[in-house]
Amino acid sequence: MIKMVRIDERLIHGQVALIWSKQLGVNRIIVVNEKAAVDPILTSTLKMAAPDSVKVIVLNEEKAKVLLNDPRTNDLNILVVVNSPKDARFVAENAPEVGKVNIGNYGKANKDGEERQKLNDNVFLGEKDKDELREIIALGVTTEYQLVPDQPITDMRTVL
């Protein structure tokens, strides 16, 4: 069902829409984001960014929890996209069969004022972010950094 959960502060863009959706063979992208769920312009923009072959659904946490646990989704191939480690932990704790969390682009736009450590050119993590990722790993979920599928994978257990 859930092929991957992707942490990407830009949510849906070229890497997610074209590269990851094709690599994973998904037919649904579910964005779990409180702000996007109540912003019709942002929701529309996210839907337009996806290929025609992939349906995009933008939900808040409450609705995402219901949908991701609906047995009718078992036959779908789903990529869940969130914009923070906190939201990824929510999905990992509340959806069945989350096997992998992938971090692609996170932390460049430091809006919360927390000091962040540079992991690489695309990922900057604060202590709260690291704690969220450790909790995901403790759930038994593979957690890794990989910007695009043809790049090497960094297991987050080795850098936290």
Side-chain angles (χ1 to χ4, degrees):
M1 180 178 85
I2 297 175
K3 296 289 191 175
M4 185 171 79
V5 175
R6 166 87 170 188
I7 300 170
D8 196 311
E9 61 193 1
R10 298 177 294 171
L11 297 172
I12 300 176
H13 56 90
Q15 289 169 348
V16 171
L18 302 173
I19 299 170
W20 281 109
S21 65
K22 182 178 179 181
Q23 172 74 21
L24 297 169
V26 300
N27 51 21
R28 298 290 187 279
I29 296 175
I30 298 177
V31 175
V32 181
N33 183 270
E34 298 294 320
K35 181 181 174 187
V38 297
D39 183 337
I41 294 172
L42 181 53
T43 295
S44 241
T45 303
L46 293 170
K47 289 181 177 183
M48 287 189 292
D52 292 338
S53 61
V54 178
K55 183 175 181 178
V56 174
I57 304 164
V58 180
L59 302 170
N60 64 21
E61 287 182 350
E62 180 182 329
K63 290 180 180 176
K65 183 177 178 178
V66 171
L67 180 65
L68 293 171
N69 285 283
D70 188 322
R72 293 176 291 181
T73 61
N74 291 341
D75 294 330
L76 301 174
N77 294 319
I78 299 171
L79 168 60
V80 177
V81 181
V82 298
N83 72 348
S84 72
K86 179 180 178 275
D87 291 344
R89 181 182 51 82
F90 172 83
V91 174
E93 290 176 341
N94 291 284
E97 301 179 36
V98 173
K100 179 177 11 179
V101 170
N102 167 275
I103 304 170
N105 294 289
Y106 178 73
K108 283 184 181 180
N110 185 2
K111 298 174 187 164
D112 60 11
E114 182 181 8
E115 187 175 323
R116 297 184 189 272
Q117 175 187 359
K118 180 179 179 178
L119 176 64
N120 57 43
D121 288 341
N122 300 301
V123 179
F124 298 78
L125 300 171
E127 286 306 314
K128 291 177 190 172
D129 301 321
K130 291 176 185 178
D131 289 342
E132 298 288 356
L133 294 170
R134 287 182 192 106
E135 288 188 40
I136 294 168
I137 292 166
L139 294 170
V141 177
T142 300
T143 305
E144 59 193 29
Y145 164 78
Q146 186 180 30
L147 189 62
V148 290
D150 64 350
Q151 290 186 338
I153 295 171
T154 300
D155 185 331
M156 292 305 293
R157 293 176 300 178
T158 66
V159 296
L160 294 176

